[in-house]
Amino acid sequence: MDELLVVAGSFVVFQLMFVLASPLLTALFCQGYGNVVPAKHTEWNSRLVSTVHALIVGTFCLYILWFDDAVNKDPVWGEPRLVKLNVAITCGYLVYDLLLLARYWKTMGDGFFVCHHIAALYAYGFVLSRGVLPYFANFRLLSELSTPFVNQRWFFEALSVPRSDRRVVLNGIAMSVVFFAVRIAVIPTYYWRVISTLGTPAFERLGPGPQVAWILSSVSLDVLNAIWMYRIARGCYRVVTGSGRKTKSLIPITDTNNHAD
C-alpha cells in the first residue's frame, strides 16, 4: 500500500512539474526559450521533467549500490525497502509519461516507447508487489544517469546552438562516456551476478513469471543498448573530428530507453 501511495504521489508531482514548474522556471532562467518554436515547448517540458526524474532515481541507485549491504548481499531477496521506493517513483513517472504520450500523440507519440513503458511497469510490478530482484532492478535503473546528457543535447538542438559549439561537443563526449559506463561497461558485472544466481534456491523461489520477465528483458535491453552505443559513438566521433558538421548528426537526440533497464 505504501508503494502505491508513492506511485500516485510521483505521478502527481511529475504532472505538476510538466504543467506548472517547467514552463515557469524555463521562462525565467533560459533566455533562449522564447526563440524555441511553440511546437517544441511540450517536448521541452517533458524532457526537463525526464531530467529531474533521472537525477532523483540515479542518485538513489548510486546510494543503494554503494551503501545498501542487504541488497548487495542477497540480490534476489535482499531487503528491498529503498529499491521499492525508487521503483515506485519510476512507476509514477512512467504512468505520467504514458498519459503524456497519449495526449500529444501526433507530435510525441511513439509505439516503441508505449510498449517499453508497459513492459517496464509489468517487470517493476514484481519488485513492488513481491520485493524480488532488488539488486538487479536497482542496477538497471543506473541507466538513468545517462538521460540528462541525452536531454541536454536535445535542448541545444532546440535552441539552435551550433554543433561545433564547445558546450555541444563537451556534452556529446560526456554523453558517450556516461552512456558507455552505465549501460555497456556494467554488462559483465551484471551478467556475472545473473549467472551466479541461476539454479540457486533463491532463483527457484521466484517462479516462472519473474524469471522470464527478468532474463528476457535484460537480454533485449542490452542488445538495444549496444546498438545505441554504436550510434552515439559514431556521432560523437563526427562531432569531435568535424567530419559531420555539414551533415545531420548521428548522435540520437531522442531518449534511449531510460526506463526499462
Side-chain angles (χ1 to χ4, degrees), residues 48-258:
L48 187 57
V49 174
S50 170
T51 296
V52 173
H53 164 260
L55 292 174
I56 294 172
V57 172
T59 301
F60 263 110
C61 283
L62 290 176
Y63 176 84
I64 294 168
L65 185 65
W66 290 337
F67 301 111
D68 196 325
D69 295 333
V71 168
N72 291 314
K73 183 177 180 179
D74 185 352
V76 181
W77 295 97
E79 171 54 47
R81 183 175 58 88
L82 288 179
V83 174
K84 290 173 73 173
L85 173 62
N86 213 19
V87 168
I89 292 172
T90 293
C91 286
Y93 171 81
L94 290 175
V95 174
Y96 142 81
D97 204 39
L98 274 175
L99 294 180
L100 187 70
L101 289 173
R103 182 179 179 183
Y104 299 100
W105 185 259
K106 289 185 178 180
T107 56
M108 297 177 58
D110 189 324
F112 170 80
F113 283 110
V114 171
C115 294
H116 160 270
H117 284 12
I118 293 175
L121 287 169
Y122 171 75
Y124 289 146
F126 287 110
V127 180
L128 294 180
S129 63
R130 296 181 54 186
V132 298
L133 302 168
Y135 173 87
F136 299 102
N138 183 69
F139 210 94
R140 280 301 181 182
L141 282 174
L142 283 173
S143 65
E144 288 293 341
L145 293 171
S146 66
T147 299
F149 300 98
V150 176
N151 287 338
Q152 185 58 50
R153 187 183 187 283
W154 186 91
F155 292 141
F156 283 141
E157 289 277 339
L159 294 169
S160 300
V161 179
R163 291 174 183 149
S164 58
D165 188 284
R166 185 179 181 182
R167 293 168 297 174
V168 177
V169 174
L170 291 177
N171 181 74
I173 295 172
M175 181 177 68
S176 300
V177 171
V178 175
F179 192 99
F180 177 80
V182 300
R183 293 176 183 257
I184 304 300
V186 297
I187 287 178
T189 300
Y190 180 84
Y191 283 100
W192 175 79
R193 294 301 297 265
V194 171
I195 293 171
S196 66
T197 301
L198 297 179
T200 63
F203 177 80
E204 298 300 329
R205 284 176 57 197
L206 287 174
Q211 290 171 353
V212 172
W214 171 34
I215 300 300
L216 288 184
S217 64
S218 294
V219 174
S220 299
L221 290 171
D222 284 325
V223 170
L224 289 174
N225 283 334
I227 294 172
W228 279 319
M229 184 70 250
Y230 172 71
R231 293 178 59 198
I232 288 175
R234 281 206 308 170
C236 183
Y237 173 78
R238 291 197 171 206
V239 169
V240 172
T241 61
S243 60
R245 290 177 184 172
K246 295 183 180 180
T247 60
K248 186 177 180 180
S249 174
L250 292 177
I251 303 179
I253 63 174
T254 55
D255 209 341
T256 50
N257 198 20
N258 293 304

